[in-house]
């Protein structure tokens, strides 16, 4: 019992979502190799063996999932609808939401099944993936440790890629707001990204999670203010729906799909939320925490995407806040507030990859230069994300690329692969329907990855080349 207590983490119902990074859902401290344990007559119930000091209520768990999904991604939905059209966008959002919800369901259900077999109270995302190999086909069991590390590293890279998006978000928002008030000193998005480096480096030196929690509270309050302002301008004097494209060219659909996946996927916080519930049986099922949360998310994303595209049309930008009027103080303040929200959120999201890296550093035999190493790693990682963000400042395309490569892999492909491997020598149901269903989802994930990455990279290269030509022309004009 004392051992279980040492593995639990205090998480209040309304604390920061990123605070969940410190609990067993993100850490890999549990051993999954327990196949030699003696068998009891009574089936092992993992829920009865969880010892969480401050478990989340059902409502608190719903709020955690909502906070993880309702972030900056929802502001990119109008741009996603631009790439799909209104009718295709509504249908696509519902279908993508259903698939994302189902893959989360697969991951949690597989984790719970493995907990019973492994006689463990809970498993993290990475542990679930490793355990699926351990309790799957015998020839794959030796891969268990490598798969667990791979997923851990993938989560780190995914969060770092999201931070690159945040840098572009900050730079774009500052430029849109400040260019109006400083017409004689207009800077590029790259310049604003570079100016954000020092503040980001400073705030990311905070290592104790409890000092970051107030940032989450402030960010949550401010982002709802931005949503309210955005909705006001979104619904003000709406043009006719008939003025917009119903079904866009198929060539831009991959950008729609990758943007929606980027916006909706909260795969990194799913297992922590389920592991910290007072009644984890209520996570799945109908209505359940997962279904309730995702219904709200899909509805809000559909509303933002639909009416945002109706209001701003093909001129809509990577974040709909960038389309707000430049001659109104309230609209301009929303852009600055959003930049500040992303700045605070950056520090919170940065905690996740650093927590994984810190665990890796803990294996060192000596603690010499620990402080210097921490400062150096944090500074280098922040600098890297700022450099990448400044190099590719097209917010819409960067979001599409990150969604296509990282979230389609972690959020769609890995859950179905994990379930398939775990059930390979067990039961796929009547007519092997689980296997065929997982194959279809895996194909969708691969299509989203390949097509989304291709369209995004092609757009980024085209955008990069266009800016290069413009700079050359400007230099020649100056010389002349």
């Amino acid at each position: 019992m004392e051992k279980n207590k040492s593995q639990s983490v205090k998480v209040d119902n309304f604390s920061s979502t990123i605070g969940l990074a410190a609990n067993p859902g993100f850490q890999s401290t549990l051993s999954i190799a327990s196949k030699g344990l003696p068998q009891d007559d009574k089936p092992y119930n993992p829920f009865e063996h969880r010892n969480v000091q401050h478990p989340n209520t059902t409502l608190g768990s719903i709020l955690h999932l909502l906070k993880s999904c309702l972030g900056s991604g929802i502001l990119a939905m109008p741009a996603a609808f631009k790439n799909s059209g209104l009718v295709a966008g509504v249908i696509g959002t519902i279908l993508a939401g259903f698939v994302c919800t189902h893959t989360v369901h697969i991951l949690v259900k597989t984790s719970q099944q493995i907990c019973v077999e492994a006689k463990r109270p809970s498993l993290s995302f990475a542990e679930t993936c490793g355990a699926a190999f351990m309790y799957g086909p015998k020839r794959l069991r030796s891969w268990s440790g490598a798969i667990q590390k791979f997923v851990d590293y993938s989560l780190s890279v995914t969060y770092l890629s999201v931070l690159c998006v945040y840098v572009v978000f900050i730079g774009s928002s500052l430029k849109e707001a400040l260019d109006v008030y400083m017409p004689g000193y207009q800077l590029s998005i790259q310049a604003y990204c570079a100016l954000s480096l020092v503040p980001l480096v400073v705030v990311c030196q905070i290592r104790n999670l409890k000092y970051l929690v107030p940032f989450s509270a402030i960010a949550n309050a401010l982002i709802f203010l931005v949503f309210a302002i955005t909705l006001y301008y979104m619904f003000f004097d709406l043009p006719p729906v008939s003025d917009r494209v119903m079904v866009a060219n198929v060539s831009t659909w991959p950008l729609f799909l990758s943007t929606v996946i980027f916006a909706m996927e909260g795969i990194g916080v799913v297992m922590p939320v389920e592991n910290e519930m007072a009644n984890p049986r209520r996570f799945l099922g109908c209505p359940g925490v997962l279904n309730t949360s995702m219904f709200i998310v899909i509805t809000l994303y559909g509303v933002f995407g639909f009416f945002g595209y109706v209001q701003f049309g093909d001129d809509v930008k990577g974040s709909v806040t960038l389309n707000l009027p430049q001659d109104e103080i309230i609209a301009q303040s929303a852009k600055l507030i959003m930049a500040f929200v992303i700045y605070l959120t950056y520090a919170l999201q940065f905690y996740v990859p650093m927590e994984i890296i810190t665990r890796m550093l803990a294996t060192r035999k000596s603690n010499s230069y620990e402080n210097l190493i921490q400062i150096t790693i944090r500074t280098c990682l922040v600098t890297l994300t700022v450099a990448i963000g400044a190099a590719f400042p097209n917010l819409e395309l960067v979001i599409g690329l990150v969604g296509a490569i990282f979230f389609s892999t972690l959020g769609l492909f890995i859950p179905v692969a994990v379930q398939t491997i775990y059930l390979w020598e067990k039961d796929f149901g009547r007519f092997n329907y689980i296997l065929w269903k997982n194959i279809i989802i895996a194909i969708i994930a691969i299509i989203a990855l390949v097509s989304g990455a291709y369209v995004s990279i092609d757009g980024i290269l085209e955008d990069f080349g266009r800016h290069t030509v413009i700079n050359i022309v400007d230099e020649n004009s100056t010389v002349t």
Side-chain angles (χ1 to χ4, degrees):
M1 185 66 70
E2 290 300 323
K3 183 178 180 180
N4 286 338
K5 286 185 179 180
S6 66
Q7 292 174 345
S8 64
V9 177
K10 296 180 180 179
V11 179
D12 295 328
N13 285 344
F14 299 96
S15 65
S16 163
T17 300
I18 204 64
L20 297 167
N23 72 27
F26 277 101
Q27 298 175 355
S28 301
T29 59
L30 295 173
S31 172
I32 59 178
S34 57
K35 297 177 74 64
L37 292 176
Q39 299 295 320
D40 299 326
D41 293 333
K42 182 182 178 182
Y44 180 83
N45 187 340
F47 305 145
E48 295 177 353
H49 292 78
R50 292 184 182 179
N51 184 21
V52 183
Q53 293 183 3
H54 297 280
N56 293 326
T57 63
T58 300
L59 177 59
S61 300
I62 291 174
L63 292 175
H64 277 314
L65 281 185
L66 288 177
K67 285 191 290 184
S68 69
C69 294
L70 295 178
S72 58
I74 193 173
L75 300 176
M77 285 303 296
F81 270 63
K82 178 186 70 174
N83 292 312
S84 65
L86 290 177
V87 174
V90 171
I91 297 174
T93 300
I94 294 174
L95 292 178
F98 174 79
V99 173
C100 290
T101 303
H102 182 65
T103 54
V104 171
H105 184 281
I106 287 173
L107 179 66
V108 175
K109 184 177 180 180
T110 303
S111 179
Q112 292 177 351
Q113 290 173 335
I114 295 175
C115 283
V116 173
E117 187 172 352
K119 288 184 168 55
R120 296 295 175 184
S122 63
L123 293 170
S124 70
F125 184 11
E127 287 172 339
T128 298
C129 297
F133 280 75
M134 177 64 71
Y135 292 90
K138 291 182 180 180
R139 60 183 178 275
L140 296 180
R141 290 176 184 174
S142 60
W143 291 31
S144 175
I147 293 298
Q148 184 171 325
K149 290 182 180 179
F150 170 77
V151 175
D152 248 345
Y153 296 152
S154 297
L155 278 171
S156 298
V157 175
T158 299
Y159 275 95
L160 289 174
S161 67
V162 172
L163 296 181
C164 296
V165 175
Y166 285 177
V167 170
V168 180
F169 214 116
I170 293 172
S172 302
S173 298
L174 290 177
K175 179 174 175 58
E176 282 288 329
L178 298 181
D179 277 2
V180 176
Y181 301 107
M182 298 187 303
Y185 299 94
Q186 293 187 0
L187 301 176
S188 63
I189 295 178
Q190 291 91 333
Y192 281 113
C193 289
L195 289 174
S196 69
L197 175 60
V198 174
L200 289 174
V201 168
V202 172
V203 75
C204 286
Q205 298 303 323
I206 300 175
R207 304 175 196 176
N208 195 320
L209 187 64
K210 70 178 181 179
Y211 297 127
L212 291 174
V213 171
F215 291 4
S216 176
I218 296 172
N220 289 336
L222 292 178
I223 198 169
F224 280 109
L225 176 61
V226 173
F227 285 172
I229 295 174
T230 303
L231 285 171
Y232 168 77
Y233 286 103
M234 191 182 295
F235 285 98
F236 182 76
D237 194 20
L238 275 172
V241 174
S242 58
D243 288 353
R244 304 303 176 215
V245 176
M246 296 295 114
V247 180
N249 193 295
V250 177
S251 63
T252 59
W253 284 13
L255 272 180
F256 163 79
L257 181 58
S258 54
T259 301
V260 173
I261 293 174
F262 171 90
M264 285 189 181
E265 275 296 350
I267 196 72
V269 300
V270 168
M271 294 311 304
V273 169
E274 191 269 349
N275 288 341
E276 292 290 332
M277 284 188 65
N279 191 345
R281 293 180 181 84
R282 294 181 180 175
F283 189 87
L284 302 178
C286 186
V289 170
L290 177 62
N291 290 337
T292 301
S293 301
M294 291 307 295
F295 176 79
I296 296 172
V297 167
I298 293 169
T299 302
L300 291 177
Y301 275 45
V303 169
F304 259 81
F306 186 93
F307 290 102
Y309 176 56
V310 170
Q311 178 65 261
F312 301 108
D314 291 337
D315 293 329
V316 70
K317 299 181 181 180
S319 171
V320 69
T321 55
L322 302 178
N323 287 98
L324 300 183
Q326 294 187 329
D327 56 348
E328 297 187 24
I329 295 178
I330 295 178
Q332 292 295 81
S333 65
K335 299 174 185 178
L336 292 175
I337 292 172
M338 196 62 207
F340 183 63
V341 167
I342 297 299
Y343 169 72
L344 296 179
T345 307
Y346 185 104
L348 296 166
Q349 297 290 339
F350 186 79
Y351 184 87
V352 179
M354 276 309 304
E355 189 273 335
I356 297 173
I357 293 172
T358 300
R359 277 195 279 112
M360 294 169 56
L361 292 175
T363 60
R364 294 169 61 239
K365 295 181 180 179
S366 173
N367 291 328
S368 302
Y369 306 107
E370 178 70 23
N371 193 48
L372 178 61
I373 292 174
Q374 279 277 350
I375 293 174
T376 302
I377 292 176
R378 290 169 181 270
T379 302
C380 289
L381 287 178
V382 174
T383 303
L384 177 64
T385 61
V386 170
I388 294 175
F392 307 104
N394 190 313
L395 183 60
E396 179 182 351
L397 295 175
V398 172
I399 288 176
L401 182 61
V402 172
I405 295 178
F406 297 105
F407 286 98
S408 63
T409 302
L410 280 177
L412 300 183
F413 185 82
I414 288 182
V416 297
V418 164
Q419 186 187 46
T420 302
I421 290 169
Y422 177 65
L423 296 178
W424 190 261
E425 295 179 347
K426 297 178 177 65
D427 182 21
F428 281 115
R430 192 176 184 182
F431 304 120
N432 290 328
Y433 82 94
I434 295 178
L435 176 62
W436 293 113
K437 177 259 299 177
N438 287 352
I439 290 174
I440 293 173
I441 296 177
I443 292 173
I444 294 173
I446 293 173
I447 292 174
L449 191 158
V450 175
S451 62
Y454 174 80
V455 173
S456 299
I457 292 174
D458 183 65
I460 288 173
L461 292 176
E462 181 181 345
D463 188 60
F464 186 78
R466 182 168 59 251
H467 283 295
T468 302
V469 171
I470 292 174
N471 290 336
I472 293 175
V473 172
D474 290 341
E475 289 177 2
N476 291 336
S477 301
T478 303
V479 173
T480 304

